[in-house]
Amino acid sequence: LHPHSSTMARAITLPSCFLLLCLLAGGDAFAVSGVTGSVNARALPVQRCHLRGTSPQISTTVMAESCNRRQAIGDAAKYAFLFPTLPLSVSAEESAAVEADKAYQNSKSGFQLAYPAEWKEAKKPVQTHQDEILFKSSSTKGTEVGITVDPVKIDSLSQFGTPKEVGKKVMGVERAKDGVLSAKLLAVGQADYEGVPYYTIEYESESTRGNKHFIACVAINKKKLYVLTAQAKIDSFPKEEQNLRRVVASFRLTSPA
């Protein structure tokens, strides 16, 4: 299947995960051939921070220890520089939401995150990646977070490009996809956690399949590409924004089994 075909578009439920995989696993040839528009990457500020400390130890079902909850709230604050609208001071309501979040840990592929308690874990009937998992909101249709894991040929995101460069290539591929009417890059960022760079790419896409807001967090460790994609319909994003940003902020790589 051609990566831009409508058949492929229907088969992939996490489109930004797929295009990032194509960019990073397929190399620059694919990325360059897909670019049909341009983005003024210089106009996009890149925030960078080195985070110290270790990942919180969490259970496979619920964040049980209060110290881990405090760590999760702290991590959200640390990552606020990646997301301009995430408040640096956590409100009582947001703190309560963090307390109620469920934790997910994938020891096989080596990653963990926390997601809202009312969300449900879902699996695709046909797996298109080495590993993939999907979490969906039970109350807002189209609000979901997906994580994919795939082997790649490079050891680090820095070998592929800066956040600005990757964001520009992602927009080129997104605009070239069937049904996409427009795509706008909103922000890019980078954080280094325990020596691993994490890139964030935030953008909006208008297409014949709907208008969506995406926040992607990407990392490479031990020649494995991890892509977390948070998405919501543009109309629903204001309501779901804090939930999505909180999940993204909780995303960490661990040692795979």
Side-chain angles (χ1 to χ4, degrees):
L1 293 175
H2 190 279
H4 293 162
S5 70
S6 58
T7 303
M8 177 62 80
R10 288 194 299 269
I12 302 298
T13 59
L14 305 175
S16 54
C17 290
F18 171 65
L19 66 91
L20 283 165
L21 172 62
C22 290
L23 288 172
L24 293 168
D28 286 338
F30 178 88
V32 173
S33 67
V35 174
T36 58
S38 62
V39 172
N40 183 7
R42 293 182 181 178
L44 295 166
V46 176
Q47 303 292 335
R48 182 167 182 167
C49 181
H50 294 274
L51 303 181
R52 294 178 294 177
T54 58
S55 301
Q57 300 299 313
I58 57 180
S59 71
T60 57
T61 53
V62 180
M63 303 180 91
E65 299 296 332
S66 60
C67 61
N68 294 337
R69 293 169 178 150
R70 289 195 297 271
Q71 180 68 48
I73 295 171
D75 285 345
K78 289 176 183 177
Y79 270 81
F81 68 89
L82 293 177
F83 314 117
T85 58
L86 183 65
L88 284 172
S89 58
V90 181
S91 67
E93 182 180 354
E94 185 69 9
S95 178
V98 171
E99 291 280 332
D101 279 354
K102 293 182 179 180
Y104 173 86
Q105 184 163 351
N106 187 315
S107 57
K108 176 183 176 182
S109 293
F111 67 88
Q112 64 186 30
L113 56 81
Y115 62 95
E118 58 96 5
W119 287 25
K120 303 297 182 183
E121 181 180 338
K123 290 189 177 181
K124 291 169 56 182
V126 178
Q127 296 284 309
T128 55
H129 299 270
Q130 185 177 84
D131 197 3
E132 55 189 307
I133 191 69
L134 187 64
F135 299 95
K136 292 185 174 184
S137 169
S138 300
S139 59
T140 308
K141 186 176 180 180
T143 298
E144 58 188 50
V145 173
I147 305 94
T148 64
V149 183
D150 286 282
V152 289
K153 300 174 182 178
I154 58 179
D155 297 304
S156 172
L157 284 173
S158 60
Q159 292 179 250
F160 185 72
T162 65
K164 290 180 181 179
E165 292 167 343
V166 173
K168 182 176 180 179
K169 291 172 181 177
V170 166
M171 287 300 93
V173 176
E174 181 71 14
R175 292 189 179 110
K177 290 167 58 180
D178 284 350
V180 173
L181 306 175
S182 67
K184 179 181 179 181
L185 184 60
L186 302 175
V188 295
Q190 176 178 346
D192 296 329
Y193 190 83
E194 295 185 338
V196 177
Y198 293 69
Y199 286 5
T200 57
I201 302 166
E202 183 168 358
Y203 65 97
E204 290 182 346
S205 177
E206 296 185 4
S207 77
T208 56
R209 295 178 295 276
N211 304 332
K212 297 182 179 181
H213 191 119
F214 295 93
I215 307 171
C217 183
V218 193
I220 291 178
N221 188 34
K222 297 181 180 179
K223 291 190 182 295
K224 288 195 174 196
L225 169 66
Y226 298 81
V227 181
L228 178 148
T229 303
Q231 63 177 278
K233 295 179 181 179
I234 289 179
D235 291 343
S236 303
F237 184 73
K239 172 186 174 184
E240 297 294 335
E241 179 178 5
Q242 294 305 321
N243 280 337
L244 294 175
R245 294 192 188 282
R246 196 169 70 248
V247 176
V248 175
S250 73
F251 181 55
R252 293 287 186 276
L253 302 189
T254 59
S255 298

